[in-house]
Amino acid sequence: VQLQASGGGLVQAGGSLRLSCVASGSIFRMNRMGWYRQAPGKPRELVASLTTGGPTNYGHFVKGRFTFSRDNANNTVTLQMSSLTPEDTAVYYCNANAREHAWVSSRDYWGQGTQVTVSS
């Protein structure tokens, strides 16, 4: 499974950005897709994720500012971020938990990461 992320960049505080990620390759079953982020010197943390058939989970810091959507048919997720603050500056990683074939177990996959920088 390969994850290709796009979007990100530099934005002023209060601005908006949109991240997208598409999963490709051999996918027998996609269990969960989402976004994590990691700021310098901090652990990676959940931004938003959606398990198939379940609710969307958001990080505690989102507070209604971000909207996560998942297109199951195309294995695509988007993250619309608004009211960004400098504290949102981080590398954002697309994540998927999937099963490549019926005879293997599910595992996590990670995209290459995309930088989001919010200037004050």
Side-chain angles (χ1 to χ4, degrees):
V1 177
Q2 296 81 45
L3 300 176
Q4 182 63 49
S6 61
L10 174 65
V11 66
Q12 289 187 331
S16 299
L17 280 175
R18 185 173 184 267
L19 305 182
S20 296
C21 177
V22 58
S24 61
S26 178
I27 303 174
F28 172 74
R29 180 175 297 152
M30 180 65 74
N31 300 314
R32 184 186 71 245
M33 292 190 74
W35 289 94
Y36 285 72
R37 72 182 189 183
Q38 188 167 21
K42 295 185 177 181
R44 192 170 294 189
E45 60 182 351
L46 171 71
V47 180
S49 71
L50 176 60
T51 299
T52 302
T56 299
N57 294 308
Y58 288 99
H60 62 90
F61 55 85
V62 171
K63 298 179 180 178
R65 300 180 298 132
F66 299 173
T67 301
F68 176 81
S69 61
R70 176 180 165 185
D71 180 345
N72 293 329
N74 295 304
N75 288 318
T76 301
V77 292
T78 60
L79 182 69
Q80 179 66 47
M81 303 185 291
S82 59
S83 301
L84 288 163
T85 74
E87 288 69 37
D88 294 313
T89 295
V91 178
Y92 284 68
Y93 295 93
C94 182
N95 166 262
N97 182 277
R99 200 172 174 185
E100 286 192 321
H101 305 286
W103 56 89
V104 299
S105 300
S106 298
R107 53 159 284 195
D108 276 340
Y109 298 86
W110 295 92
Q112 78 279 15
T114 184
Q115 178 69 45
V116 171
T117 302
V118 184
S119 63
S120 57

